[in-house]
Amino acid sequence: MDVILTIAGYFIALNILGFALMGIDKWKARKGAFRIPESTLFIIAIIGGSIGSLLGMYTFRHKTRHWYFVYGMPAILILQLAAIFFLTHSSITFQIM
């Protein structure tokens, strides 16, 4: 049970971070301040924060004119959902020691 809570906490934290980074980058764009690199936004999405990044993208209306965000973020989410489906429905069993 501790493993599941740890994994859930990891994904919750990453999604909150992805959402917050979109908002912070939008705020910095308006102020003309130093911006968060686009690669950082994508890395957060790839390592598990895709839902939060997508929600932040459309909540703050940030990066919605860039085709690689409009198509890339949903593609990352779809690949992650496919991986979760494969791992939960495959005949491969994992043993945790």
Side-chain angles (χ1 to χ4, degrees):
M1 191 65 155
D2 291 334
V3 174
I4 292 173
L5 289 176
T6 303
I7 292 171
Y10 169 80
F11 285 111
I12 290 169
L14 274 177
N15 282 289
I16 291 170
L17 179 63
F19 184 84
L21 285 178
M22 285 291 182
I24 292 167
D25 194 45
K26 177 67 173 197
W27 179 78
K28 286 183 170 197
R30 287 184 178 161
K31 298 290 182 186
F34 180 75
R35 304 281 302 279
I36 297 170
E38 292 179 345
S39 60
T40 302
L41 299 174
F42 271 111
I43 288 169
I44 294 299
I46 289 170
I47 62 173
S50 58
I51 294 172
S53 295
L54 267 170
L55 288 174
M57 204 171 105
Y58 288 104
T59 299
F60 302 112
R61 294 185 182 139
H62 188 53
K63 301 289 186 188
T64 55
R65 292 187 180 188
H66 300 282
W67 67 267
Y68 43 90
F69 274 90
V70 172
Y71 295 111
M73 289 291 179
I76 292 168
L77 177 60
I78 289 168
L79 288 172
Q80 289 172 343
L81 291 174
I84 290 169
F85 179 81
F86 173 75
L87 290 172
T88 57
H89 289 83
S90 69
S91 60
I92 300 171
T93 56
F94 297 98
Q95 292 182 347
I96 299 175
M97 293 184 179

